[in-house]
Amino acid sequence: MRNHSQAWLGAAESALRAAPPTALLSAARELLAAYVQASEVTLLLADYGLSVLQPVTHLPHTGTQVPVRDGAPAGRAFSAEAPVVEVTADPGTVVAHLPITVRGDRLGVLSVRLPEPAEGAPGVLELAAFATALGHELVVADRDTDLYLQARRRRRLTLAAEMQWQLLPGRGFSREEYTLGGHLEPAYAIGGDNFDWSTTDDSLTITVTDGQGHGINAALLTNLAVSALRNARRADISLEDQACLADQAIYAEYGGERYAPSLLLRFDLATGQAQAVEAGSPQLFRLRDGIVQRVTFEAQTPLGMFEETDYRGQPFTVVPGDRLVIVSSGVHGSPSKDGSAFGERALKETIAATGRSSAHETAHALVDALTQYHGGGELPVDAAVVCMDWRGRRTAAG
């Protein structure tokens, strides 16, 4: 039976790879109808704000949205990153809601209406693996079609937001040593705040950048900052030199009139030894053994403020079980209508309250708390959050 399921999954993956990028859903429907007698297959993609799941249909039209957090089975599957089997009013029929996650980046849910699996038929685990295979093809398809990017949109993005979302490495990533989750708001009008990460076999680098200003000007500045940091990182130079070269690139363009406060972090995956360059306003908080503390570093000038600034790295350590949360100034320093800032106390309380939630859900919860602090609705400032759960590398003995 296991060999049969493996053969089915292998054939399905090959068929998905062979499908045109715009025909992935129709290919999935044909495959699932043939292999598990699926009568209905719906592809739901998370919108940019991660608040609803939107069905992929014939654009620009879309079907009924499914809220992520109202208890609907598809929403539960997305949030928990685990399959949810819904029993229907039709006897002998179930709907399997399968999370689509690619290396820790949550894309959406595949909902499959099918007969209750008979013995020997592909089960939920095989269907979940199929959904993962579909997710990998969706990521590749985004290089060649706008179909799935458009399907995620509840409304039109501003040009600045378009630029910012294209810069992101993703909204999540997971491997043995850690899990990352990130979120940006206002999702459809984000201007200057951004985050980036990259991994090697031995290290992880994370940066969070506050692009000064608003709208397209902030997006252009952040694009320059992130691109300069990536260019320096890919030259395989130290974290301090990455900051120095990005600082020079921004100063050469703006002459100190505009700058990009940033926090650069690098982690050794084998030891948990880390290094930080604090070049401005993003802040780092750590949840360890139930206690939330702000991790402070020597404050240095934002990237691009002065010509040829020398940046210094500062060491710190993470241990298995640590949760790190990085927030931009739009989170920790933005004032409400009465002029008071969201502040460190509110941040610590929210981080502590979400200690049992996933890294993805924690990042979203922090932005939700900030939104409520501002009275609901769209945030008046840019906000970026990155949450990392650190597990560390297992030793040969452990």
Side-chain angles (χ1 to χ4, degrees):
M1 285 184 242
R2 182 175 179 182
N3 289 338
H4 174 74
S5 295
Q6 289 176 333
W8 165 75
L9 184 59
E13 289 175 344
S14 296
L16 288 173
R17 284 195 295 270
T22 56
L24 290 175
L25 179 54
S26 58
R29 284 173 172 155
E30 292 175 6
L31 289 164
L32 292 170
Y35 285 109
V36 296
Q37 292 74 57
S39 59
E40 184 178 346
V41 178
T42 304
L43 174 59
L44 300 152
L45 295 180
D47 87 303
Y48 284 83
L50 297 180
S51 57
V52 298
L53 299 169
Q54 301 211 135
V56 177
T57 58
H58 296 290
L59 294 174
H61 307 289
T62 187
T64 303
Q65 300 169 342
V66 178
V68 169
R69 292 171 179 81
D70 74 343
R76 297 204 313 272
F78 178 79
S79 296
E81 298 178 68
V84 172
V85 177
E86 177 187 1
V87 178
T88 71
D90 185 6
T93 301
V94 298
V95 179
H97 301 280
L98 311 161
I100 301 175
T101 303
V102 177
R103 293 193 174 95
D105 192 8
R106 302 181 301 172
L107 305 182
V109 171
L110 186 68
S111 295
V112 183
R113 182 179 293 272
L114 72 162
E116 288 186 282
E119 185 176 352
V124 173
L125 291 180
E126 288 81 5
L127 291 174
F130 176 87
T132 298
L134 176 61
H136 281 270
E137 295 307 315
L138 288 169
V139 171
V140 175
D142 280 344
R143 299 183 309 183
D144 303 307
T145 179
D146 290 334
L147 173 64
Y148 307 106
L149 292 172
Q150 288 176 287
R152 291 172 51 192
R153 301 178 183 208
R154 301 179 69 181
R155 63 180 189 272
R156 184 173 177 176
L157 293 174
T158 65
L159 176 56
E162 189 81 54
M163 296 169 65
Q164 293 295 64
W165 285 107
Q166 290 299 311
L167 267 184
L168 291 183
R171 287 188 287 186
F173 181 63
S174 184
R175 56 179 288 176
E176 173 193 348
E177 297 87 354
Y178 58 83
T179 295
L180 292 167
H183 194 52
L184 297 178
E185 286 287 354
Y188 291 84
I190 190 76
D193 288 9
N194 211 289
F195 57 81
D196 193 24
W197 56 62
S198 181
T199 190
T200 70
D201 288 341
D202 303 311
S203 67
L204 166 69
T205 301
I206 303 174
T207 59
V208 173
T209 300
D210 287 349
Q212 184 191 36
H214 303 283
I216 191 68
N217 288 328
L220 288 168
L221 171 59
T222 300
N223 266 258
L224 176 59
V226 172
S227 297
L229 287 167
R230 286 175 175 172
N231 180 254
R233 185 185 71 220
R234 292 164 185 169
D236 199 25
I237 61 178
S238 69
L239 198 68
E240 298 97 325
D241 287 340
Q242 291 174 34
C244 290
L245 289 179
D247 172 73
Q248 292 171 18
I250 297 168
Y251 187 87
E253 181 65 26
Y254 294 103
E257 294 183 2
R258 301 179 67 81
Y259 42 86
S262 302
L263 178 63
L264 290 69
L265 304 172
R266 186 181 184 279
F267 301 85
D268 185 297
L269 301 184
T271 65
Q273 297 300 309
Q275 189 179 40
V277 173
E278 183 179 309
S281 56
Q283 294 182 355
L284 174 65
F285 292 83
R286 179 185 64 212
L287 173 62
R288 176 182 290 174
D289 297 329
I291 299 173
V292 181
Q293 292 181 317
R294 183 183 167 197
V295 183
T296 58
F297 306 104
E298 176 191 355
Q300 300 175 76
T301 56
L303 302 180
M305 179 174 279
F306 300 110
E307 188 174 12
E308 297 185 357
T309 304
D310 288 326
Y311 290 95
R312 297 171 298 281
Q314 299 164 74
F316 69 107
T317 304
V318 288
V319 299
D322 278 358
R323 166 168 286 180
L324 299 183
V325 178
I326 312 161
V327 296
S328 67
S329 61
V331 179
H332 67 76
S334 63
S336 65
K337 292 180 180 179
D338 65 5
S340 60
F342 186 60
E344 187 170 315
R345 179 178 176 180
L347 272 168
K348 288 182 175 179
E349 289 175 350
T350 306
I351 293 170
T354 56
R356 295 185 179 275
S357 301
S358 69
H360 305 88
E361 291 297 299
T362 295
H364 196 277
L366 279 165
V367 178
D368 275 351
L370 179 63
T371 300
Q372 295 304 313
Y373 185 78
H374 281 279
E378 190 168 279
L379 288 178
V381 293
D382 293 346
V385 179
V386 175
C387 179
M388 180 179 75
D389 286 337
W390 180 264
R391 292 179 291 275
R393 181 169 292 176
R394 296 179 183 177
T395 62

